[in-house]
Amino acid sequence: MAKRGVIIVAGGSGRRMGGALPKQFMMLDNEPILARSINRMHEALPAAEIVVVLPEEHVELWKNIAARFDVARHKIALGGKERFHSVKNGLAALSDEVAIVGIHDAVRPLTSKKLIIKLFLEAENSTAVIPVVAPIDSYRIVEGDDSRIIDRSALRMVQTPQVFQAEALRKAYEQPFSSTFTDDASVMEAAGHKVTLVEGERENIKITTPSDMLIAEAIINAES
């Protein structure tokens, strides 16, 4: 089996959450969000290398927090100016033997083991694999003072982990940074790779606001 690696990007400042503590360090069901994300990856992929990318000013804080909880083994890499640079630093921290790499938002702690495994298995045959879900809401596109409805059947909401064959990903991240890089899949597309879509999970939410915390707690309570 191909050697697997995971990069967990934990660069959020928590401004939208409104607290002094960055959201990835906040408690969710008696466990820091970042710890939950790390442990979920380890549970799904016990032999995988895990790298957590943190802003330099958060490293000691995280080490102090992690020491108080049961957190799976992981390396720490320093974040960069943009997410692009943070992921590039995370890639550099993985060993050269890693053949398949998953890149995950630290604040998506509810991803199921089933989805993680499904994405990594698909990546053995596809260069770039991302989880997506169809939108429920209606959408309008705004153009100046006008707006018009857009067909939501053609839209998908993108999640993480996004999983890639490592050799292609490393080459893609040799490109110069562009503001059009909204996620890792867009970096791969710019390098000429096709992106394969896999059905994601509605419960795989990104925790950004206080209301997201309430939703996450409700999902955990429903699961248990």
Side-chain angles (χ1 to χ4, degrees):
M1 184 184 292
K3 174 78 173 171
R4 296 165 174 182
V6 176
I7 298 168
I8 299 178
V9 185
S13 64
R15 283 191 300 270
R16 278 178 285 182
M17 190 65 78
L21 197 66
K23 55 185 178 285
Q24 58 267 29
F25 304 143
M26 291 182 177
M27 299 295 290
L28 177 63
D29 194 37
N30 299 316
E31 188 178 23
I33 288 172
L34 176 54
R36 182 177 282 272
S37 294
I38 294 168
N39 289 342
R40 186 60 58 95
M41 287 292 164
H42 176 69
E43 289 163 12
L45 308 166
E49 288 183 26
I50 299 176
V51 173
V52 175
V53 186
L54 289 162
E56 188 170 3
E57 64 268 24
H58 292 164
V59 171
E60 286 307 313
L61 172 62
W62 169 243
K63 287 181 177 178
N64 289 336
I65 293 171
R68 305 201 306 269
F69 295 89
D70 186 13
V71 185
R73 185 177 176 184
H74 59 280
K75 299 179 192 174
I76 293 175
L78 298 183
K81 182 180 177 184
E82 304 285 347
R83 180 191 168 93
F84 174 89
H85 304 105
S86 294
V87 171
K88 194 169 183 176
N89 292 349
L91 273 171
L94 287 172
S95 68
D96 293 339
E97 295 81 53
V98 169
I100 298 178
V101 181
I103 304 174
H104 191 49
D105 295 327
V107 289
R108 288 189 190 269
L110 303 181
T111 316
S112 75
K113 291 191 289 183
K114 180 181 176 181
L115 177 60
I116 295 165
I117 293 167
K118 180 168 71 171
L119 291 163
F120 271 82
L121 288 174
E122 180 63 37
E124 292 180 6
N125 302 308
S126 304
T127 308
V129 182
I130 66 172
V132 299
V133 292
I136 298 170
D137 299 326
S138 294
Y139 289 86
R140 298 188 72 86
I141 189 164
V142 177
E143 296 168 329
D145 294 332
D146 297 320
S147 71
R148 58 183 170 83
I149 195 79
I150 54 175
D151 180 9
R152 71 180 177 197
S153 68
L155 299 178
R156 293 295 182 270
M157 298 186 294
V158 176
Q159 301 180 332
T160 70
Q162 300 185 358
V163 186
F164 309 96
Q165 293 181 6
E167 184 178 359
L169 185 67
R170 291 182 193 277
K171 287 180 180 175
Y173 268 90
E174 291 172 4
Q175 299 174 94
F177 170 72
S178 166
S179 59
T180 61
F181 295 156
T182 55
D183 63 357
D184 307 290
S186 62
V187 178
M188 289 289 276
E189 278 184 322
H193 298 287
K194 180 180 182 293
V195 175
T196 299
L197 307 185
V198 167
E199 186 66 29
E201 298 170 334
R202 300 231 171 258
E203 298 81 9
N204 184 21
I205 64 170
K206 186 175 184 179
I207 298 177
T208 306
T209 65
S211 60
D212 296 331
M213 288 288 278
L214 296 174
I215 294 167
E217 287 166 1
I219 291 169
I220 290 167
N221 290 335
E223 286 177 348
S224 61

